[in-house]
Amino acid sequence: MNWLREFSDRVQTQVSLAPLTWFRLGGPARFLFRPRDTDDLASFLRYATDEGVATRILGAGANVLVQDDGFDGVVVRLDTPAFKRCDHNGESITVGAGVDLMQLSKRLSQQGYTGLECMAGIPATVGGAVRMNAGGRFGEFADVVSDVTLMEPGGTVETWSRERIDFGYRRSAIGGRTVLSARLTVTPVDPLVTRARFDECFAAKRRAQPLAEHSAGCIFKNPKGTPAGALIDQAGLKGHSCGRARVSEQHANFIVADRGARASEVVSLIREIQERVRERFGTLLETEIDVW
Ligand code: EPU
């Protein structure tokens, strides 16, 4: 545990993760570390690698289900100023991993830069949006990414082109590396156009999804053919619950957690949905969320 001695002034212990996730449930992190800057992160990762310390990066917590017994390792949050920089240079903008995607998409759309309107209302940090290739029907994050600067587990920094990142449907080749920043290309157009497009994407999301409730967005990836939401709906599972975890009546690919819900109830509901959809349609739904 040499790492703990080295970083003790910026490590918190037994930190509740529920308030840091959109589900608002799950147990604590044994440690939470907020690096001051890239060098600090590199030094921490070297210790963690050498000493076999389990680490996870937590972004906006919008796609994560933390189990009830929490995470027995170090949760890293890139929310210090060094990771929240935005350097705008003409049509190129370099954004830190800790930048809030919803705010970024709103600000750029307000200013008339096109490219991120389709991210309206998607809760994420830039780091999470790169790793998962966040997006939906109107577009995905990969569409605007030129390259990504990331850190290897050993602390070395590299810049990868979008081709090397190999974006796919809710996936990338980032793996066990840490995203530090992304360089995006956004084109200036008439601000009236980008504002209207942003509003349209946000309104569509609000109409279709239970945004006021606690969830992790879509639980399952869409399989080939019929979307997951439609399969779960046709299996008659809307409103079906397991304890205080419930299939949303508004969108069947969302599980909403009522106050007091446990992660184990969400997990049981996920399994039950998978079984019922498989029995009925022969399709195995694959989860989109990260279970810690
Ligand atoms: N549908 C139903 N019942 C439902 C929900 C949906 O029949 O309860 C039907 C819809 O009528 C539609 C089809 O299923 O014909 C697809 O639904 P929708 O248009 O709502 O989109 P989706 O495929 O369920 C995807 C992304 C969302 C993204 C939206 C909008 C996935 C798994 N989901 O949803 O992303 O917001 O498009 O762009 O790819 C997320 O990743 O967390 C997420 C919410």
Side-chain angles (χ1 to χ4, degrees), residues 62-63 118 122 132 134-139 169-170 204-205 208-209 216-222 226-234 238 248-254 288-289:
N63 220 33
C118 59
I122 297 185
M132 298 281 308
R137 195 171 357 125
F138 303 107
Y169 170 56
R170 298 296 193 278
K205 194 169 169 69
Q209 303 178 2
C218 284
I219 290 283
F220 302 103
K221 291 183 182 171
N222 280 337
T226 312
L231 292 175
I232 301 166
D233 193 351
Q234 286 163 29
K238 269 190 173 174
S248 164
E249 287 85 355
Q250 196 180 351
H251 194 301
N253 198 7
F254 279 63
E288 184 191 289
I289 57 165

Side-chain angles (χ1 to χ4, degrees), residues 119-154:
M119 296 287 129
I122 297 185
T125 55
V126 164
V130 169
R131 159 180 287 281
M132 298 281 308
N133 189 14
R137 195 171 357 125
F138 303 107
E140 51 188 28
F141 198 60
D143 299 341
V144 293
V145 174
S146 301
D147 54 46
V148 171
T149 299
L150 44 81
M151 189 174 279
E152 294 286 346

Side-chain angles (χ1 to χ4, degrees), residues 18-19 33 42 65 70 73 75 100 105 112 115 122 136 142 152 160 167 184 197 206 242 245 251 253:
F33 172 56
L65 174 66
V75 170
D100 182 283
S105 126
I122 297 185
E152 294 286 346
W160 284 19
F167 287 113
L184 317 178
R197 176 102 182 110
R206 255 194 241 108
C242 194
H251 194 301
N253 198 7

Side-chain angles (χ1 to χ4, degrees), residues 177-285:
R177 302 164 188 91
T178 307
V179 174
L180 299 176
S181 63
R183 196 163 59 87
L184 317 178
T185 302
V186 288
T187 314
V189 296
D190 181 352
L192 288 178
V193 172
T194 50
R195 287 175 201 164
R197 176 102 182 110
F198 177 90
D199 290 345
E200 194 186 305
C201 293
F202 208 165
K205 194 169 169 69
R206 255 194 241 108
R207 266 196 308 275
Q209 303 178 2
L211 300 189
E213 296 185 89
H214 298 310
S215 79
C218 284
I219 290 283
F220 302 103
K221 291 183 182 171
N222 280 337
K224 286 201 174 67
T226 312
L231 292 175
I232 301 166
D233 193 351
Q234 286 163 29
L237 289 168
K238 269 190 173 174
H240 184 74
S241 61
C242 194
R244 294 181 188 195
R246 172 168 49 84
V247 178
S248 164
E249 287 85 355
Q250 196 180 351
H251 194 301
N253 198 7
F254 279 63
I255 289 180
V256 294
D258 291 327
R259 186 184 284 273
R262 298 178 61 77
S264 57
E265 295 169 339
V266 177
V267 171
S268 300
L269 188 52
I270 289 173
R271 303 228 192 295
E272 199 180 334
I273 295 168
Q274 284 173 319
E275 275 165 30
R276 301 268 292 265
V277 167
R278 191 174 189 150
E279 277 165 17
R280 178 89 191 259
F281 303 104
T283 305
L284 178 63
L285 293 176

